[in-house]
Amino acid sequence: MGESPPSLQLGSPRDPAMDRITDKVAALPADASFVSLEFFPPKTAMGFSNLRDRLDRMSRALRPLFVNVTWGAGGSTAQKSLELAEICQRELGLTTCLHLTCTNMSRNLIDKALDDAKALGVRNILALRGDPPRRAEYRDANDPDPGDDDDEFVWAVDLVRYIKKHHGDYFCIGVAGYPEGHADESHPLGQNLERDLPWLVEKAQAGADFIMTQLFFDVAAYDAFEKTLREYPSGVFKDILIIPGLMPIQGYQMIKRTAKLSHAKVPEPLMARLDAVKGDDERVKAVGVDILSELVEQVKEVKSRTPGPQGFHFYTLNLEKAVSFIVERTGLIPPSTPEEETLEIGNPIPEIAVMHVNGSTPDDSFHGITRRKSSVASDPRNRVIVLGRPASYPDYEATALEASIPAEPVNTRANTLAISEGEGVLGREATWDDFPNGRWGDARSPAYGQIDGYGVSLHVTVAQALQLWGTPKVSEDINRIFIRHLKGELSAIPWSEEGFNAETDAIRETLIRLNSKGWWSLASQPAVNGLRSNDPTFGWGPQNGFVFQKAFVEFFLPSADWKVLEAKLTRPEMKDTICFYATNVAGDFVSSDSNQPTVNSEGRPHVREASTNAVTWGVFPGKEIVTPTIIEEVSFRAWSEEAFGIWGEWAKVYGKGSDSEKLLENICRDAWLVNIIHHDFVDGEALWDLLLK
């Protein structure tokens, strides 16, 4: 593949001062609109590579004023945030805003992150608190007190002050706003905007330059939020830039989970529209585009009360199709200047396939005007011109009118936008991962993994963790926590803040037996053989289809138990019957692929190919087979890092050196994480008999 054409922003020399978000907004006409887009660092190298291409495409199609890169506190996740910021700022020439959380991070780490941002040319920071601080819990009675010069980061305002103190006005600093109030279930008032206001006032007075809101779906709540700020008696918010945050609806379960984590209310009329189509991913996304487009128009009315440009921030989840439709439909894409259009057309473009009409080949001198919009470098095949009717199969047929229209260069904004919206072969290739399934999706997708992109977290406060899981002292206490979750007596475990789907009822008692052995299950599903897509328990997708599932289960177990189970799974008769992946916190890895012979039948070296397992698939009229749930080595490895990290996060809930912390740390060091898939989807008991009999 050739190199991607450069972004428009690279077409003229850049003034570094104009990379500050507030300066860029101030330079816009008073009646202008702008968009910003948020991305998180993908979990896999393939996802990173694909996100780079997606960023380039979206920057040219949607022309965001700036992009946000989320932050993962500490270690490799933080480094990935900086790598993504470098791609955005340096490679693609996009004004970049780097998120930075301050709690549970030392001053040295904060300094390094800010210095790295400066080195990359990043001039915008979104200052966030992050997880509730736990420093006091880790201070032993014998630990020395922190020095006078040791800055304490407890709240986001501490980070705002620190940046201003040490970097002056170099960085444009944003802070978070919560239209429905920040969720803190340990506080007696819960979510409450009035309770939040003093904190937001303090952040603005400390030097915050703009406010970016948490995602919301309740426009009335946002209306009240902005009105409250603009009319605040001290006038501290009168002129500050307020950017509303919106999240495109990418899937039914995804939006329910996101709303739960963010405590954003989805009004009942909107939820009813999604409930009506929840079994069909395509219809959910289409309804979601309608809903978000309506929200944008309603927010425009709210913003019209305040003079100046109107901005909208989109939490993309590293996906492009839905946000592209929304931004185009609501008229938020700024027009190109004549100079930019010249730059677009003047850029080198890939060789474009020419349509051969009745076997003829156009003369090279006419090559530039015979390229067709309907082909746009995406159709290597000839297409038949049809007369007197529309093209029934656009990939293979073209109308006479289409055949006569000269195509634009492939990298014009119109064509790039069409690709981002999934049109044509190039569009289908660009948006191939448009229906993500969290950690069960395709690891090549930029959207693969957890949806928030903030790295390992329990998603609950320390107080909530203690209330849910108590203070485990022995492994049997862990058994009971998992079993209570399976029985519906606990709303969450550290690895999942969600309840179970209805299909879990089919294997619930079996899972309880498994967990009673100290094999703690994180994910599972029963086998399904050709049920109709409208089945009330197992159905999904369009009508008149059929759905299938292979049984699988993923669980932690002690190393001694793993040795016994491994011997069973690697018996010769298990070959092509099951597939498994297993790893521990030290990084030791074993899989059924590892047991393939190293030489073939002719004595030549055998190159091991990692298996890919579609464990859920559907067959629907007029469609290719859809495989929304995939398990493979690269995704398992990426998830295992997070899964073991959660043991550490759970241990930090308890005092340093406590019995509970020691128990959880010891379990983490000893346990193996195993995922087993049984290929016999006809025999619903095959996997469970293998494990329990």
Side-chain angles (χ1 to χ4, degrees):
M1 294 178 63
E3 293 184 1
S4 299
S7 175
L8 290 178
Q9 287 86 338
L10 298 179
S12 57
R14 293 176 54 165
D15 178 1
M18 282 299 291
D19 262 350
R20 288 172 51 90
I21 289 170
T22 49
D23 294 336
K24 291 176 74 74
V25 173
L28 295 172
D31 60 348
S33 297
F34 68 88
V35 298
S36 56
L37 306 174
E38 183 164 305
F39 301 91
F40 65 83
K43 288 181 176 289
T44 66
M46 292 180 291
F48 238 103
S49 176
N50 287 324
L51 180 58
R52 195 264 179 221
D53 293 337
R54 178 162 290 171
L55 278 163
D56 180 45
R57 196 163 48 241
M58 294 177 76
S59 69
R60 288 185 286 114
L62 306 183
R63 294 173 50 80
L65 192 72
F66 64 93
V67 296
N68 276 23
V69 173
T70 67
W71 180 258
S76 61
T77 311
Q79 186 58 38
K80 288 178 181 178
S81 296
L82 291 168
E83 290 172 8
L84 182 55
E86 181 174 15
I87 290 173
C88 295
Q89 184 76 35
R90 284 188 165 180
E91 290 188 33
L92 299 178
L94 297 167
T95 295
T96 302
C97 178
L98 180 66
H99 292 202
L100 187 58
T101 59
C102 62
T103 53
N104 305 315
M105 284 182 64
S106 69
R107 187 182 66 176
N108 287 337
L109 285 175
I110 295 288
D111 285 338
K112 184 179 186 308
L114 293 170
D115 289 343
D116 287 342
K118 262 189 173 180
L120 295 176
V122 172
R123 301 207 57 185
N124 305 281
I125 298 291
L126 188 65
L128 305 167
R129 185 186 77 165
D131 287 339
R134 294 190 293 246
R135 182 171 181 172
E137 298 161 28
Y138 268 69
R139 286 189 55 208
D140 199 292
N142 298 320
D143 286 346
D145 291 331
D148 293 337
D149 62 342
D150 206 9
D151 291 87
E152 185 85 27
F153 297 106
V154 179
W155 307 103
V157 68
D158 300 323
L159 181 56
V160 175
R161 292 191 183 114
Y162 186 82
I163 295 173
K164 283 293 183 183
K165 175 182 175 182
H166 294 278
H167 297 276
D169 291 330
Y170 180 84
F171 290 108
C172 178
I173 304 173
V175 294
Y178 299 87
E180 298 166 89
H182 185 269
D184 184 356
E185 293 181 13
S186 63
H187 194 282
L189 295 180
Q191 274 184 275
N192 186 287
L193 176 58
E194 295 299 325
R195 175 174 64 86
D196 286 356
L197 274 178
W199 300 107
L200 197 54
V201 168
E202 199 173 359
K203 288 189 282 188
Q205 292 173 337
D209 297 293
F210 67 93
I211 297 170
M212 182 170 286
T213 80
Q214 171 69 284
L215 66 95
F216 63 89
F217 298 96
D218 187 346
V219 176
Y222 178 79
D223 189 1
F225 171 78
E226 179 146 335
K227 185 176 181 181
T228 300
L229 265 57
R230 295 302 186 197
E231 297 177 356
Y232 195 74
S234 71
V236 68
F237 302 116
K238 181 179 178 182
D239 299 314
I240 197 168
L241 175 64
I242 302 174
I243 306 175
L246 300 167
M247 179 176 282
I249 296 172
Q250 307 288 1
Y252 182 80
Q253 291 299 331
M254 180 177 287
I255 205 62
K256 289 191 70 175
R257 179 175 185 267
T258 305
K260 179 180 178 181
L261 291 178
S262 63
H263 297 265
K265 175 186 175 185
V266 182
E268 289 185 8
L270 300 188
M271 201 66 230
R273 291 164 67 180
L274 294 170
D275 286 337
V277 295
K278 64 181 180 181
D280 188 332
D281 287 344
E282 289 183 354
R283 293 180 68 193
V284 167
K285 183 157 287 196
V287 171
V289 168
D290 292 341
I291 289 173
L292 264 293
S293 299
E294 293 162 13
L295 294 184
V296 168
E297 297 299 340
Q298 293 167 23
V299 173
K300 283 181 179 179
E301 291 294 319
V302 175
K303 303 291 288 183
S304 66
R305 296 197 299 259
T306 304
Q310 299 181 359
F312 298 84
H313 182 70
F314 290 94
Y315 299 95
T316 69
L317 304 183
N318 290 4
L319 296 167
E320 65 184 302
K321 190 172 181 179
V323 71
S324 298
F325 275 122
I326 295 162
V327 171
E328 183 186 27
R329 184 180 296 183
T330 54
L332 293 177
I333 303 177
S336 294
T337 65
E339 292 80 6
E340 289 168 341
E341 291 289 359
T342 300
L343 281 171
E344 284 180 332
I345 296 174
N347 284 334
I349 58 176
E351 183 63 27
I352 295 182
V354 181
M355 185 173 185
H356 298 257
V357 181
N358 296 328
S360 64
T361 303
D363 185 271
D364 287 344
S365 62
F366 295 95
H367 184 83
I369 63 170
T370 54
R371 293 180 296 201
R372 300 173 44 260
K373 288 182 179 178
S374 55
S375 189
V376 194
S378 62
D379 288 328
R381 64 180 72 86
N382 297 339
R383 293 198 292 167
V384 176
I385 296 177
V386 295
L387 300 174
R389 65 174 176 84
S392 301
Y393 303 95
D395 287 347
Y396 299 92
E397 298 177 342
T399 66
L401 178 61
E402 287 176 321
S404 67
I405 297 175
E408 301 168 359
V410 71
N411 61 327
T412 59
R413 285 182 55 205
N415 283 337
T416 307
L417 178 61
I419 291 170
S420 285
E421 291 178 348
E423 291 186 20
V425 175
L426 283 182
R428 289 195 293 276
E429 291 175 355
T431 60
W432 60 275
D433 60 342
D434 197 44
F435 296 99
N437 198 9
R439 63 150 297 208
W440 306 110
D442 194 314
R444 296 169 298 174
S445 168
Y448 169 76
Q450 291 292 346
I451 63 171
D452 47 40
Y454 285 96
V456 177
S457 175
L458 294 180
H459 294 302
V460 295
T461 65
V462 171
Q464 290 168 335
L466 291 170
Q467 183 179 7
L468 281 166
W469 311 313
T471 53
K473 302 290 177 61
V474 293
S475 59
E476 286 75 13
D477 293 337
I478 309 296
N479 294 3
R480 283 189 283 272
I481 289 170
F482 277 83
I483 291 170
R484 290 186 63 205
H485 185 232
L486 279 164
K487 291 181 175 180
E489 297 171 5
L490 283 181
S491 60
I493 56 172
W495 293 265
S496 174
E497 67 285 342
E498 299 175 335
F500 292 96
N501 296 328
E503 68 176 41
T504 304
D505 287 338
I507 54 173
R508 192 181 306 274
E509 292 304 317
T510 301
L511 292 174
I512 289 173
R513 289 172 58 198
L514 199 70
N515 283 267
S516 297
K517 294 178 58 173
W519 295 11
W520 304 310
S521 58
L522 304 184
S524 59
Q525 73 177 25
V528 170
N529 181 25
L531 292 178
R532 289 195 172 273
S533 59
N534 61 354
D535 183 90
T537 300
F538 297 98
W540 56 274
Q543 295 295 308
N544 301 315
F546 294 88
V547 296
F548 302 81
Q549 292 181 179
K550 291 181 181 179
F552 79 86
V553 64
E554 182 175 270
F555 54 95
F556 288 109
L557 78 169
S559 58
D561 288 2
W562 165 240
K563 289 180 181 178
V564 176
L565 181 58
E566 182 185 13
K568 181 185 290 189
L569 298 178
T570 53
R571 294 193 309 237
E573 62 267 27
M574 290 292 101
K575 185 176 183 298
D576 298 329
T577 299
I578 56 99
C579 179
F580 72 86
Y581 306 99
T583 190
N584 62 11
V585 73
D588 300 319
F589 178 80
V590 183
S591 78
S592 48
D593 299 329
S594 308
N595 295 303
Q596 294 180 10
T598 56
V599 295
N600 62 19
S601 58
E602 299 175 354
R604 296 177 181 174
H606 174 79
V607 179
R608 179 179 70 88
E609 292 186 5
S611 58
T612 298
N613 299 276
V615 295
T616 302
W617 65 100
V619 181
F620 307 101
K623 292 182 177 292
E624 297 177 352
I625 293 176
V626 182
T627 56
T629 311
I630 295 172
I631 301 175
E632 56 186 340
E633 179 179 324
V634 65
S635 60
F636 176 79
R637 283 179 178 270
W639 157 244
S640 67
E641 294 178 12
E642 182 171 343
F644 280 105
I646 290 173
W647 283 109
E649 289 297 299
W650 189 7
K652 291 174 185 176
V653 168
Y654 308 101
K656 191 174 183 180
S658 67
D659 290 342
S660 294
E661 188 216 34
K662 291 177 182 177
L663 170 71
L664 298 173
E665 293 287 2
N666 288 336
I667 288 174
C668 183
R669 283 191 291 268
D670 178 68
W672 280 72
L673 178 66
V674 184
N675 190 303
I676 306 173
I677 305 131
H678 204 292
H679 297 312
D680 188 349
F681 57 89
V682 177
D683 183 356
E685 299 301 319
L687 173 61
W688 316 113
D689 288 346
L690 174 67
L691 293 175
L692 294 171
K693 285 191 176 180

